[in-house]
Amino acid sequence: MSLPWRAGSSLSARLAGVPLEILRLEPDPAGGSGVVFKVPDNFWGGPQALELREGENQASGSLTVLGQTVFEQPEPEALALIRPGVSDVHFAQTLAGAGLRLVPIAPGVNSVSLGGASGPCAGRLARVARDPAGPAPLAAGALLEHLERAAGGLVVDLDGVLGIDPITGYDVDPGPDPSTRPINARSAVKLRPGSNFTGAGITIAVVDTGVKNLSGLTLKSGGADFVGTPPNPLQDEYTQGGVVVGHGTAAAVLAAHATYGIAPGAGILPIKSCDKDGKCRLEAVIRGICHAVAYAEQHPQERLVLSLSLGSDTPSEIVYIILKDALMRRKANGIPVVAAAGNQWALRSSKRGVLHHFPASFGGNRGLSVRREPERSMTVLKGLFSVGAVGDYSGTFRVSAFSGQGDFVDLVAPGERVLSLSPAGSELGYTGTSFAAPIVSGAVAIIQQASAWVPLTPEALEAAFLANLTDPAALSEPEEARGQGLLDMTRGP
């Protein structure tokens, strides 16, 4: 970090209130100082408040801490989004001048097309690492700095592992509270039985562990698998306790099943970006989201909802710009996004700093200043629904103890012991914000169908939805836990 004054030995630094060890000071040609400090490894990832003081001089800002999941490789790799028109050869030559190299994504394949016709999904995704013939190994942050200097203007992000909820990148299964009752989602949200709106004509893209083709689900052709070999988006092998319980299947059922789903007339686009252990490589998630965007471009007669029951505490800049394009730059053709708020709230004190959950935390009210350059700051994404979970405690709904909290939470929906179907077609109770999110995805599909004559932008849809289809009086928790309240379809179309 750079300071506007020439710092000395009395300089102090604090991250989220925790003192940092300053490793060295470097003179700045402009008269200030560069500061290198060490961040302890017991911090949550994501933006954390940074403060530096020396006498009357002080500077404050935000430092994005990298979560532990980006360090699973022997050496860090970065992902780069290559702009259309830039060849792999040219990009590789540019990297070589900075001591970096392209890492093949597959044998003989240096980058993969993201499949979109416009926007960031029209680019290609590549992996970048240090050239082994170059200098000593680079730390994760240094790799990013080298890459940004070498390929200015290209969006970069450290590769990492996201995870589905309830497993997530932290390997945490929240488990239901033993005092909760099983929940029938359609009854809990008071879905109007005589409504003519079922989500017909709407497609819900479920980026998850795959979706089994069960009776009662309408699966769209054109899905994709970025995990399995051979690829099969209709295979869901997510396993818990040695038993295949499924994750993407259960989510799709809650969104659009004929018996269990909120929008039984909607179709499901199965996109497999997460494996049987619940791990979702960032590369596969990016490809999965862009596949949904490309599908929407190719099928303009269908309205699309993007359902993401996955996340991490580390923000991905590539995911951010793709979602921003899908939400905010396509106007009435934009794609509403529904994201799970995460299941780590009960563990928030196990590490230092503020607990985030991305991509849900791309919503909120304040945005994220993760770059010094204003044009690259992450402003709030409008049209992104961040969904927390509630359980049925002896007939009273309460926000689940594990459910993520913060200014980014928009609303809550049933997420403890919610009845859904496994890939084998067995009824099971599912717990986690992962299963609250697709319930909201189904509700969004219904509103999209109802507004088909005058299509709403994702931002307008979100505003109307939260103003009319939530009930804050049903819950006693503060707004950062419940958002605008419990999903309530009694005023739905």
Side-chain angles (χ1 to χ4, degrees), residues 94-478:
T94 302
L95 295 178
L100 305 175
R101 64 184 174 93
L102 279 175
V103 178
I105 287 179
V109 179
N110 285 329
S111 68
V112 290
S113 170
L114 293 176
S118 63
C121 287
R124 300 190 320 284
L125 195 65
R127 293 181 190 162
V128 177
R130 177 186 69 94
D131 186 341
L138 295 172
L143 173 63
L144 273 182
E145 290 176 0
H146 279 60
L147 178 53
E148 289 197 273
R149 284 197 297 266
L154 296 177
V155 175
V156 296
D157 195 31
L158 280 172
D159 193 10
V161 177
L162 286 75
I164 61 173
D165 291 310
I167 290 299
T168 82
Y170 317 115
D171 293 322
V172 176
D173 179 356
D177 188 294
S179 64
T180 56
R181 298 175 178 178
I183 299 176
N184 178 295
R186 297 178 75 169
S187 298
V189 304
K190 302 171 185 174
L191 193 67
R192 294 176 60 191
S195 173
N196 293 322
F197 296 99
T198 63
I202 311 302
T203 298
I204 302 172
V206 178
V207 180
D208 212 295
T209 59
V211 178
K212 186 68 181 291
N213 189 10
L214 298 179
S215 175
L217 280 178
T218 302
L219 297 190
K220 296 286 188 176
S221 61
D225 182 351
F226 299 105
V227 176
T229 304
N232 183 3
L234 305 185
Q235 186 177 50
D236 181 3
E237 298 179 308
Y238 172 62
T239 302
Q240 210 171 28
V243 178
V244 176
V245 296
H247 192 275
T249 301
V253 165
L254 288 168
H257 188 268
T259 302
Y260 295 82
I262 302 302
I268 295 291
L269 181 68
I271 301 175
K272 191 172 182 178
S273 291
C274 308
D275 64 22
K276 63 183 178 64
D277 298 318
K279 300 297 186 182
C280 322
R281 289 219 66 84
L282 184 56
E283 173 192 316
V285 172
I286 291 168
R287 295 178 70 183
I289 295 173
C290 278
H291 184 83
V293 170
Y295 180 92
E297 291 173 333
Q298 295 159 13
H299 300 82
Q301 75 281 5
E302 297 179 33
R303 307 292 294 172
L304 199 73
V305 179
L306 180 60
S307 192
L308 300 174
S309 291
L310 48 81
S312 167
D313 61 348
T314 305
S316 160
E317 192 174 357
I318 296 178
V319 170
Y320 172 82
I321 68 160
I322 291 170
L323 293 181
K324 183 175 182 179
D325 174 76
L327 286 163
M328 302 175 73
R329 294 179 184 165
R330 295 170 186 256
K331 300 183 179 179
N333 291 321
I335 303 171
V337 178
V338 182
N343 300 328
Q344 292 76 44
W345 188 249
L347 303 176
R348 64 191 182 282
S349 61
S350 64
K351 293 184 181 181
R352 303 293 189 92
V354 177
L355 172 58
H356 302 275
H357 193 71
F358 298 96
S361 289
F362 288 140
N365 300 316
R366 292 188 295 267
L368 304 170
S369 296
V370 299
R371 301 284 180 181
R372 288 190 297 272
E373 302 90 340
E375 67 275 9
R376 293 185 63 182
S377 65
M378 294 183 180
T379 55
V380 172
L381 294 182
K382 299 296 185 181
L384 186 153
F385 294 78
S386 301
V387 185
V390 298
D392 181 349
Y393 292 76
S394 301
T396 301
F397 283 115
R398 294 199 333 237
V399 175
S400 303
F402 57 79
S403 182
Q405 298 188 24
D407 75 335
F408 65 95
V409 177
D410 288 308
L411 76 163
V412 290
E416 285 193 71
R417 295 191 181 182
V418 187
L419 297 177
S420 189
L421 296 177
S422 73
S426 303
E427 183 182 85
L428 298 174
Y430 289 82
T431 294
T433 57
S434 272
F435 308 107
I439 291 172
V440 173
S441 296
V444 171
I446 287 176
I447 302 306
Q448 278 196 307
Q449 181 194 6
S451 61
W453 290 107
V454 184
L456 301 173
T457 66
E459 180 178 357
L461 188 151
E462 179 191 24
F465 188 105
L466 295 178
N468 293 288
L469 299 181
T470 55
D471 180 8
L475 301 165
S476 60
E477 289 86 357

Side-chain angles (χ1 to χ4, degrees), residues 36-122:
V36 179
F37 45 78
K38 181 179 180 180
V39 177
D41 60 7
N42 64 339
F43 264 83
W44 290 110
Q48 306 293 345
L50 177 65
E51 184 180 62
L52 295 102
R53 288 179 176 272
E54 187 178 33
E56 296 182 355
N57 293 316
Q58 67 178 54
S60 60
S62 177
L63 177 72
T64 297
V65 178
L66 301 176
Q68 293 301 307
T69 57
V70 302
F71 300 107
E72 293 195 0
Q73 301 129 326
E75 269 200 60
E77 291 181 359
L79 293 177
L81 188 55
I82 304 176
R83 288 179 173 173
V86 178
S87 70
D88 286 359
V89 172
H90 174 68
F91 190 66
Q93 291 172 342
T94 302
L95 295 178
L100 305 175
R101 64 184 174 93
L102 279 175
V103 178
I105 287 179
V109 179
N110 285 329
S111 68
V112 290
S113 170
L114 293 176
S118 63
C121 287

